C-alpha cells in the first residue's frame, strides 16, 4: 500500500487557464503543474475520465468572478477514477477504490483551483461514491453534476407520483437525467420534454411520454398545462405560461431575469445523493447519455469545449483517456 502513495509524483499534466476568455484561447496544457495537496478529509484520485459542464466554460469566460476562485485554475467538476491515497480522517474509502463524483460541493462558491481536467485531483470523501458496478469510467464521469442538478431540482419542486412535468432542453446533459429521474425515481404520471427534431426519439427512449419539437411548436401554446416545469435552457418567461395553478418552475440558468413564480438554485453536491441513485444506475433504469461525438482525448480538451459551447450537444462530453 505504501508504494502507491509514495510513488505519486509532485507534478502532473493539467489544463490550466490564467486569464479569462474563450476556452480555445485561454486553456493551456501544463506538463509541470503541482499535484494538489491532500487535506485530512480528502482522497487523492488518479483521474481516468472527466466530464465537461457549461459551468466550466462560463467560469473561464469570467461570468462568476465575484464568487470564483483566483487564477490560475484547472477546470473540471466531474471525475471518475481510482483512489491513490486517503487523508487521515477518511473513514470509508480506501486506496484502489473506483469512485466518481463532483469534486465541488458548492458549484459557484470558490470551486477548487485544481479541477478534474488533470492527471490527479482531490475531493472530500463525502462528495464521492463508489462507481456503479455496471458502468465504465467514461459513463460514470458523465453522471455526477448532471444527475445531482436533476435530482435536487426535482426535489425542490416536490415532484411526486401522479404529477406531470415538462422538461425544457430534454436532450442536454441535465435534461436527459431529469426525464429519467422524473419517470423512474419520482414516479411522475406524465413526462413531456422539448428538443429539436432529430432528438425526439431519444427523449422517448429515456421515458418521455410526449416529445415536443421546439422548432415546430411552442410548448406554452399547448392546451395541456403541467404541475412542474424543469427549465434547463433559461426560458422561465415562457415556462410560467405552461404551468397549472399552483405549479412550480425551476430553472438552472444561474444568471438573467426570472419570471414569477420561477425559482433557481445552485447545486449542492454529495456522495450520499449518488449512493441513493446508484441502484437506479445499476439496474439500468437510469443511464448516462454521452453525445455520439462526445468522447475526446485529453489533448483535444479545448476542441471539446468548443463543441460544448455550440449548445448542440446531446447528453454529455467526456475527456478520456487522461494520461
Amino acid at each position: 500500500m505504501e508504494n502507491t502513495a509514495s510513488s505519486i509524483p509532485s507534478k502532473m499534466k493539467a489544463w490550466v487557464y490564467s486569464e479569462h476568455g474563450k476556452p480555445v484561447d485561454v486553456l493551456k496544457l501544463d506538463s509541470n503543474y503541482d499535484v494538489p495537496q491532500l487535506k485530512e478529509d480528502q482522497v487523492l484520485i488518479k483521474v481516468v475520465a472527466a466530464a465537461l459542464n457549461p459551468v466550466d466554460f462560463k467560469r473561464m469566460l469570467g461570468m462568476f468572478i465575484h464568487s470564483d476562485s483566483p487564477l490560475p485554475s484547472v477546470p473540471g467538476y466531474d471525475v471518475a477514477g481510482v483512489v491513490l491515497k486517503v487523508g487521515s480522517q477518511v473513514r470509508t474509502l480506501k486506496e484502489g477504490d473506483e469512485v466518481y463524483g463532483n469534486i465541488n460541493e458548492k458549484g459557484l462558491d470558490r470551486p477548487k483551483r485544481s479541477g478534474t481536467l488533470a492527471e490527479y485531483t482531490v475531493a472530500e470523501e463525502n462528495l464521492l461514491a463508489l462507481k456503479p458496478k455496471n458502468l465504465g469510467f467514461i459513463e460514470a464521469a458523465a453522471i455526477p453534476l448532471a444527475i445531482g442538478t436533476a435530482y435536487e431540482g426535482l426535489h425542490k419542486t416536490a415532484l411526486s407520483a401522479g404529477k406531470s412535468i415538462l422538461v425544457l432542453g430534454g436532450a442536454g446533459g441535465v435534461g436527459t437525467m431529469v426525464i429519467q429521474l422524473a419517470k423512474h425515481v419520482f414516479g411522475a404520471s406524465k413526462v413531456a420534454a422539448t428538443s429539436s427534431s432529430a432528438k425526439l426519439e431519444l427523449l422517448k427512449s429515456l421515458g418521455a411520454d410526449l416529445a415536443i419539437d421546439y422548432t415546430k411548436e411552442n410548448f406554452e401554446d399547448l392546451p395541456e398545462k403541467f404541475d412542474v416545469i424543469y427549465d434547463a435552457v433559461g426560458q422561465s418567461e415562457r415556462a410560467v405560461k405552461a404551468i397549472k395553478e399552483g405549479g412550480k418552475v425551476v430553472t438552472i440558468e444561474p444568471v438573467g431575469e426570472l419570471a414569477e413564480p420561477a425559482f433557481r438554485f445552485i447545486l449542492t453536491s454529495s456522495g450520499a445523493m449518488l449512493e441513493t441513485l446508484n441502484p437506479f444506475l445499476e439496474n439500468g433504469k437510469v443511464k448516462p447519455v454521452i453525445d455520439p461525438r462526445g468522447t475526446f482525448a485529453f489533448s483535444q480538451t479545448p476542441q471539446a469545449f468548443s463543441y460544448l459551447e455550440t449548445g448542440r450537444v446531446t447528453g454529455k462530453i467526456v475527456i478520456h483517456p487522461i494520461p
Side-chain angles (χ1 to χ4, degrees), residues 2-322:
E2 274 309 303
N3 278 346
T4 318
S6 61
S7 61
I8 296 162
S10 60
K11 302 289 184 180
M12 64 178 180
K13 290 178 182 165
W15 284 99
V16 185
Y17 61 102
S18 301
E19 58 183 331
H20 290 112
K22 288 181 73 67
V24 74
D25 295 327
V26 300
L27 264 186
K28 307 294 181 207
L29 184 57
D30 188 337
S31 297
N32 205 34
Y33 200 76
D34 287 343
V35 172
Q37 292 294 306
L38 192 62
K39 294 179 181 169
E40 291 176 339
D41 61 344
Q42 294 178 332
V43 301
L44 179 71
I45 302 164
K46 172 66 186 83
V47 181
V48 179
L52 305 190
N53 291 284
V55 66
D56 291 308
F57 72 73
K58 290 175 182 178
R59 283 179 60 208
M60 264 181 264
L61 289 169
M63 288 175 65
F64 310 119
I65 290 176
H66 61 285
S67 63
D68 212 338
S69 302
L71 300 180
S73 188
V74 176
Y77 286 62
D78 285 325
V79 67
V82 180
V83 174
L84 287 189
K85 190 178 179 182
V86 301
S88 59
Q89 292 179 9
V90 170
R91 295 286 167 258
T92 308
L93 294 176
K94 57 190 186 302
E95 289 175 24
D97 280 346
E98 298 181 349
V99 295
Y100 76 127
N102 169 3
I103 68 164
N104 292 306
E105 181 177 16
K106 299 283 188 182
L108 294 175
D109 183 11
R110 313 286 172 212
K112 289 181 174 66
R113 293 177 68 186
S114 203
T116 61
L117 291 170
E119 290 182 85
Y120 305 96
T121 195
V122 293
E124 288 74 18
E125 179 181 36
N126 65 8
L127 298 181
L128 301 169
L130 293 175
K131 179 175 69 65
K133 299 180 186 69
N134 59 319
L135 299 181
F137 287 101
I138 295 175
E139 294 170 300
I143 293 170
L145 190 145
I147 207 170
T149 303
Y151 185 81
E152 186 173 338
L154 290 171
H155 189 69
K156 286 179 181 295
T157 65
L159 181 68
S160 58
K163 290 185 178 178
S164 61
I165 181 172
L166 170 62
V167 186
L168 304 183
V174 172
T176 52
M177 284 297 179
V178 175
I179 292 170
Q180 296 179 83
L181 295 185
K183 192 78 173 178
H184 302 299
V185 179
F186 288 83
S189 60
K190 181 164 189 178
V191 178
T194 65
S195 75
S196 59
S197 315
K199 300 176 182 179
L200 297 173
E201 288 307 315
L202 169 68
L203 304 189
K204 292 175 186 172
S205 75
L206 295 174
D209 304 293
L210 174 65
I212 301 165
D213 184 344
Y214 69 71
T215 68
K216 295 186 176 154
E217 54 187 340
N218 294 323
F219 64 84
E220 68 269 38
D221 296 336
L222 295 173
E224 186 172 359
K225 303 302 174 192
F226 299 89
D227 294 302
V228 171
I229 296 183
Y230 196 117
D231 170 23
V233 290
Q235 296 180 336
S236 66
E237 282 188 13
R238 294 173 60 194
V240 295
K241 298 173 186 170
I243 48 169
K244 293 178 180 175
E245 186 79 26
K248 304 271 183 68
V249 176
V250 61
T251 185
I252 57 171
E253 277 301 309
V255 292
E257 291 294 312
L258 272 186
E260 292 286 330
F263 67 94
R264 62 165 56 102
F265 74 98
I266 305 294
L267 170 66
T268 301
S269 287
S270 77
M273 181 272 304
L274 292 176
E275 286 166 3
T276 298
L277 296 174
N278 264 3
F280 295 94
L281 292 159
E282 291 186 334
N283 70 15
K285 290 262 200 257
V286 177
K287 303 180 182 73
V289 176
I290 297 172
D291 188 275
R293 296 195 291 131
T295 305
F296 287 76
F298 189 65
S299 61
Q300 297 295 303
T301 298
Q303 290 81 356
F305 271 113
S306 294
Y307 183 38
L308 182 62
E309 287 178 277
T310 66
R312 295 284 172 257
V313 175
T314 300
K316 299 290 294 183
I317 292 174
V318 180
I319 306 298
H320 172 86
I322 310 281

